Amino acid sequence: MNLILLGAPGAGKGTQAEVICDALKIPTISTGNMLRAAVKEGTEYGLKAKAAMDAGDLVSDDIVIGILKDRIAQDDCKNGFILDGFPRTVPQAQALDTMGVKIDKVVEIYVADETIQQRLSGRRVCEGCGNSYHIDFKPTKVEGICDACGAKTVIRKDDEPATVIDRLKTYHEKTAPLKDYYAKQGKLVTVEGQEEVSETSKLTLKAIEG
Ligand code: AMP
């Protein structure tokens, strides 16, 4: 099954991707994580992407489409995959269609902007493996240390409050039109993000089965 998770930054797509990944045993592809890794490694496209990411803007379509294309060609994607954070623009969605990638369902995780702003201020990510935590909703066992790899957890630069406002604006302008794009194809299902993550997860799994 090929799935897309759609939603504003901080709506909880990453967490829901983990839940689906466990249930369906298909990999999650997060373009955000791949770009952050490229920035850290200082690769050519990492250097190009960094300024846009720090400012809360989108990285150019050609860079993101290129890395996505290489990733879904890998062996572990043969039985399906979950796209977390891709597509983010209509041209990116069109690129998937052009590549002949058949999308089965698009799950939108809906959370109001004000809630997102509160949530992102508590988000922490691991410097080592990129795992995501939240100081209230998904704390690490030891404060400031990643449960999975033991590296330090930090506030992402683009989770700073001013950048979050820009990221939400970008989402509404450039990504939200994808809802219409996929609704017209009869593929869009919307899940309302709940206060309890486990409740959202139940709704997500039901949306995929249904
Ligand atoms: P994320 O972790 O998904 O919130 O992504 C972090 C940042 O990476 C975004 O704010 C963008 O700057 C960039 N990014 C990730 N995925 C994409 C994409 N599909 N298109 C353009 N930029 C992206």
Side-chain angles (χ1 to χ4, degrees):
M1 191 183 254
N2 297 337
L3 297 168
I4 290 174
L5 281 174
L6 200 63
K13 296 189 297 294
T15 307
Q16 294 309 313
E18 283 173 26
V19 171
I20 302 171
C21 176
D22 279 352
L24 302 187
K25 310 286 178 234
I26 50 175
T28 297
I29 299 172
S30 157
T31 42
N33 281 351
M34 290 167 82
L35 288 166
R36 275 185 290 278
V39 170
K40 211 171 150 191
E41 285 163 22
T43 66
E44 194 190 328
Y45 72 76
L47 293 175
K48 282 190 194 155
K50 188 176 184 311
M53 291 173 78
D54 284 350
D57 286 339
L58 293 184
V59 173
S60 71
D61 285 337
D62 54 336
I63 292 184
V64 195
I65 291 167
I67 60 171
L68 194 274
K69 201 172 176 179
D70 290 347
R71 180 64 188 89
I72 57 175
Q74 286 173 19
D75 241 23
D76 63 335
C77 293
K78 268 199 300 228
N79 296 327
F81 49 78
I82 308 152
L83 298 183
D84 165 13
F86 186 100
R88 259 176 155 104
T89 62
V90 171
Q92 289 178 19
Q94 288 165 337
L96 283 176
D97 292 343
T98 309
M99 282 179 230
V101 176
K102 192 183 151 288
I103 298 299
D104 297 291
K105 238 171 218 177
V106 178
V107 182
E108 179 206 5
I109 312 288
Y110 173 77
V111 176
D113 283 5
E114 303 76 58
T115 313
I116 284 178
Q117 281 168 293
Q118 284 164 5
R119 276 191 193 175
L120 287 185
S121 63
R123 179 154 82 171
R124 301 290 181 269
V125 291
C126 173
E127 273 186 334
C129 67
N131 263 13
S132 194
Y133 299 93
H134 192 283
I135 52 172
D136 299 319
F137 310 121
K138 193 186 168 196
T140 50
K141 291 195 185 94
V142 179
E143 201 185 316
I145 302 293
C146 176
D147 292 350
C149 78
K152 221 167 64 175
T153 60
V154 293
I155 300 179
R156 256 166 60 172
K157 193 155 185 206
D158 58 355
D159 280 348
E160 307 279 349
T163 314
V164 168
I165 292 172
D166 291 338
R167 289 168 71 200
L168 286 170
K169 196 165 160 260
T170 303
Y171 174 77
H172 290 296
E173 277 174 18
K174 299 195 174 141
T175 309
L178 289 176
K179 289 194 250 177
D180 212 33
Y181 185 90
Y182 286 115
K184 280 189 184 136
Q185 297 183 9
K187 291 177 181 164
L188 184 74
V189 236
T190 298
V191 168
E192 293 239 3
Q194 308 293 304
E195 216 159 287
E196 282 289 324
V197 175
S198 59
E199 289 303 313
T200 311
S201 305
K202 278 186 207 154
L203 295 175
T204 302
L205 292 176
K206 213 165 129 196
I208 291 165
E209 285 160 14

